[in-house]
Structures are given as C-alpha cells and as structure tokens.
Amino acid sequence: MQKNQSSNPTRHCYVSKPVDRNGVITWTEEENAIWHHLITRQLHCVQGKACDEYLAGLAELDLPRDHIPQLKEINRVLLDTTGWQCVAVPALISFDHFFSLLARKQFPVATFIRTKADIDYLQEPDFFHEVFGHCAMLTNPYFAQFTHFYGKLGVKATHEERVYLARLYWFTVEFGLLNQNGKYQVYGGGILSSPQETHYATASTIPQRVAFDPIEVMRTPYRIDILQPKYFVLESMEQLYQVTNQDIFGLVAEAQRKGLRAAIFT
C-alpha cells in the first residue's frame, strides 16, 4: 500500500473497474494519461535507487508508457518467471481473501487508478502502485517464494498473530531496503511507487536504517500516513528467502513476549 508524507483531506471514493470475458479492462484517455504521468515520473525517480532485481523485473515486464497495461500481459511474464498471476480485486479486500490469494500465488490488484487530485498521495493501493511497485519484484524467485510463504502463514494465523505478520509484510514487501552496490537500494513497493519516499528512504539522513531482523521487525510499530522513520535493510534477496526456513510462528510468539518497541513517531 502506497504511503506518503501527508494525507489529502479531499479523497476520491474509488471503485474497481470490471474485467470483461476476454480479461480486458477498459481505461479512459484520462486514466491512460495519468498512468503516463506516473510511470514517466517514477522511472526517473528509481534510477540508481531501485535494486538490481527490481530493474531486471521491470525490463522483463516492459510496461507501456502511453497506456495502462492489461493484467493478462503482465501475467504472461509472471507465469513464465515464477508461476505467479495477478488477480483483479475490489478496491479493498479482507485479510482472509488477501492471504488466501497469496497462498495460491495470486497477487491482488485493484483495477482502478488514482485521479489527478490524488496524484501524489493515495491510501488505497491502486493499479499503478500494485503493478509498478510490486509486479517487477514478483519475477524474482527469492521474493516470489517469500510472498507465497507469507500468504500461507497468514491463512493459518490467528487474528493476534496476523497483527505481527502485518509488520513483517510492511517492512519488507512494502518498505524494504537492500544493501547493494555500496548503497541503500529499494525493493519495497510502497517506496518504489512514491517519488518522495524513494528519495527519502535512500538519500535522506533523517530515517533510521537498521539490519533486518524478523523479531525486531514484528516488534516495530508503523504509521501508514507518514514517511517511514525506520527501514530494515537486507544484505541480499536470498536473506529474505531464508525467512521461509524459519519457525515464523515461534518468532511471532517471541515478539509477543518481548512486546512492542516504543514508537519513534508522533
């Protein structure tokens, strides 16, 4: 889910567009123009800041600049690389639905795109955020396997355990950093789809950047409507994959016993 620094008080009420029997979504000229603006701006922003795995996936997807791609075009690439597929969903879905989709290697994509009024900030994850922010990383085997594993965890988890698992997703899939090429580089979709957070996460001296530790991740509170004050940094994408070999529910229990860290935001 994309987040930015401050909320827009005049939010649009979004509804996902239908997918016809041929798997096609009909986008308007204005919506295609918004996609063009967003992808052109963000392609410039991520250069030198996105991780190698993301850029390789982006090249595989070969997303169009002048119009919004169809999910079936993206799915051909994902199926060939890691066996994943994108699935059209309403603007918001339940946690049960979300976890069950990931457990089946299906990534939920809301089929709407933000309006001009929300061009810089949107609480709901729109088509641009999901496709540009996440789909390129789903071509990477390590990232794809972790996401699949996470979905299966969520299906089994209790409500209380899901609260801790949500932090694991937030600080990896959405706001994860990688120590690569001698600098901080991005693999989290919440950063990659936001120009402000892309610069802030990689270049600003304000946020904390600490080594990835799953227990610490699950003990760390976050807010969805601010630039993140803290990021967890992987040494490689393989390190994220190695999480799938750990007893995550045991780590959740340990995080519960230790309790939450004090928030470092207002």
Side-chain angles (χ1 to χ4, degrees):
M1 183 177 291
Q2 182 181 352
K3 303 300 159 202
N4 214 314
Q5 188 172 27
S6 59
S7 179
N8 184 341
T10 57
R11 287 177 51 209
H12 187 87
C13 183
Y14 290 100
V15 177
S16 286
K17 285 175 164 281
V19 182
D20 71 18
R21 65 173 65 182
N22 298 313
V24 174
I25 303 164
T26 301
W27 300 100
T28 66
E29 289 186 12
E30 182 178 358
E31 288 166 333
N32 283 321
I34 288 171
W35 168 271
H36 172 74
H37 171 79
L38 290 170
I39 193 170
T40 302
R41 178 177 69 174
Q42 201 56 20
L43 281 171
H44 174 74
C45 288
V46 301
Q47 293 306 310
K49 298 180 177 67
C51 70
D52 294 343
E53 291 83 352
Y54 174 81
L55 295 175
L58 205 58
E60 288 264 12
L61 290 176
D62 192 23
L63 297 172
R65 311 291 190 268
D66 60 341
H67 66 275
I68 302 174
Q70 296 295 330
L71 287 179
K72 60 182 181 179
E73 299 166 355
I74 297 164
N75 283 343
R76 279 195 289 268
V77 177
L78 295 183
L79 188 61
D80 286 345
T81 52
T82 58
W84 275 75
Q85 296 279 270
C86 290
V87 176
V89 297
L92 294 173
I93 60 175
S94 69
F95 283 117
D96 285 342
H97 191 188
F98 175 72
F99 286 121
S100 65
L101 287 174
L102 296 187
R104 298 195 299 269
K105 294 188 177 181
Q106 296 177 328
F107 193 76
V109 176
T111 54
F112 71 89
I113 195 163
R114 69 197 69 182
T115 64
K116 290 180 180 178
D118 293 326
I119 202 75
D120 292 322
Y121 173 80
L122 188 67
Q123 283 195 1
E124 300 92 339
D126 72 341
F127 194 92
F128 177 77
H129 166 78
E130 303 291 29
V131 170
F132 187 87
H134 291 299
C135 286
M137 284 305 302
L138 283 171
T139 66
N140 177 262
Y142 290 143
F143 182 89
Q145 181 59 31
F146 170 79
T147 309
H148 182 213
F149 173 75
Y150 180 84
K152 292 189 291 184
L153 285 175
V155 168
K156 299 175 183 177
T158 65
H159 173 75
E160 291 76 15
E161 289 167 335
R162 284 180 176 181
V163 174
Y164 285 81
L165 291 179
R167 300 188 189 104
L168 182 61
Y169 191 89
W170 184 264
F171 287 112
T172 56
V173 176
E174 291 292 356
F175 288 91
L177 290 180
L178 190 61
N179 189 357
Q180 188 179 75
N181 303 319
K183 56 185 176 180
Y184 298 116
Q185 298 199 295
V186 185
Y187 72 91
I191 305 174
L192 289 163
S193 57
S194 166
Q196 188 179 14
E197 191 112 26
T198 298
H199 172 78
Y200 179 82
T202 57
S204 174
T205 59
I206 296 174
Q208 297 179 19
R209 301 176 185 87
V210 299
F212 175 80
D213 177 280
I215 292 177
E216 283 303 305
V217 165
M218 291 188 286
R219 297 180 65 201
T220 302
Y222 64 85
R223 271 180 55 182
I224 68 172
D225 58 345
I226 59 173
L227 293 169
Q228 297 304 298
K230 188 172 188 176
Y231 301 96
F232 289 88
V233 185
L234 296 173
E235 289 302 313
S236 69
M237 287 310 304
E238 186 176 4
Q239 185 183 2
L240 186 64
Y241 167 74
Q242 289 168 352
V243 172
T244 66
N245 296 317
Q246 296 182 267
D247 175 14
I248 298 301
F249 288 120
L251 299 182
V252 168
E254 186 172 347
Q256 289 174 320
R257 285 194 299 271
K258 290 184 174 180
L260 284 183
R261 291 289 187 188
I264 56 174
F265 47 77
T266 303

